[in-house]
Amino acid sequence: MAPDTPTDARVTQAWNRIAEWLAEYAPPSYAALKPGASDNEIAALEETLGVSVPEELKALWRLSAGENGVNGSGLMMGGWALMPLSAVVDVHQRQMRFQEVDCEDNTEDEDALVLWKPSWIPFCSSSPDETVHGLYLNGRTGEVCRWTRFREREREYESLPAYLELMAVSLEAPLAAAGPEKPGMMGGALVWGPLDEERGDHWVRYLGQAPLRHPAKTLGAIREALPGDECEEFDEQRDAVDLADPEAVAAFRDHWWQRAVQAQEELEHDVAAALGGNIMVRPGRKLAPKYTATLPPGIRHLPPSMDDIRIALRHESVRTRFDRDFMDAVPPHYPALLLRWWDIARLMADPRGDRAVRAVVNGRHASD
């Protein structure tokens, strides 16, 4: 959005983009969202807290007043969970009690740490059932800050609109996602990671397309998925296998299939790292300033031009889909659309990525 767009309007548009993405790509997370709150419910919360809630936070709560979470995880960027209004009240009142007790214990200490202020409104917690850590909106500055049980109070984002806009673009152009917060999938639900080691095996990074299919367990498919410099070794071992020995054939196939899967995962990682570090390999023409301004500061790169992307896509069927997406998009979405298709163009630079992207684009939109 343009810099002079009201903050509540920016929140509404960013959240609508997030909700649309969730509905299409992560239905369990979309289903976990609670309905929006009424103005009467928000007014009752303000009366209980004794403080006015900023308009941008009201706008968010009118669209969704919390989430239930999926498998104990929240869907908000950074792994946070959107708190229901009842939890907002509980956390705010608890933190204010902590502040009052601390003030009583440190009446003569002018440098005592401020634990909480009435204008700090929590809206995200560490999980749907855990509220000892979270994010709050500073009602005086508009900044989004983090609180922890260890009395840490740190600024995380410039504003609530900036946080939601960054989340929306990170979902729409995941390979260009800034920082360590990467969108992923677990059981069809959106999670941000990578997660801890205990759950990491089930976390799959979202790359803006259907999950990468592992090669079929046939010798031809395995060989095709291997790096070129390993094909000679594969051929030598294949020719030495006794085809009359089923166990030997299975052992050979399983060994090289695991290597092919590893090679595909390494390719994903390398492509994602390259895009995340520098998506401006060929920047092309600049976007108009009003469109550049729609990107949050954290990823305000200048995307490549439409012509650069069309050339890089290489295949007419994929270019046709890009043209249709571009024609259907509204101007505020152009930067994210260009970033998303630049991701796809970069993936198509590798033959395996090329085949995967064409299969996804042609398969997903075959009924359009």
Side-chain angles (χ1 to χ4, degrees), residues 213-247:
R213 296 184 180 90
H214 293 316
K217 275 196 174 182
T218 63
L219 299 187
I222 292 171
R223 188 183 191 282
E224 186 177 356
L226 291 171
D229 58 359
E230 297 183 25
C231 290
E232 183 176 351
E233 180 183 0
F234 173 86
D235 292 340
E236 291 177 354
Q237 293 187 18
R238 178 196 58 196
D239 294 342
V241 170
D242 182 0
L243 300 181
D245 183 349
E247 292 185 1

Side-chain angles (χ1 to χ4, degrees), residues 243-295:
L243 300 181
D245 183 349
E247 292 185 1
V249 172
F252 168 80
R253 181 193 60 208
D254 292 346
H255 166 76
W256 281 101
W257 183 79
Q258 291 289 347
R259 174 59 193 134
V261 169
Q262 181 183 2
Q264 287 195 343
E265 292 175 348
E266 290 171 352
L267 173 65
E268 280 187 13
H269 176 77
D270 291 344
V271 172
L275 287 171
N278 179 17
I279 65 167
M280 296 303 299
V281 178
R282 289 177 50 208
R285 291 185 294 276
K286 296 181 179 180
L287 289 176
K290 62 180 180 180
Y291 297 156
T292 301
T294 66
L295 288 173

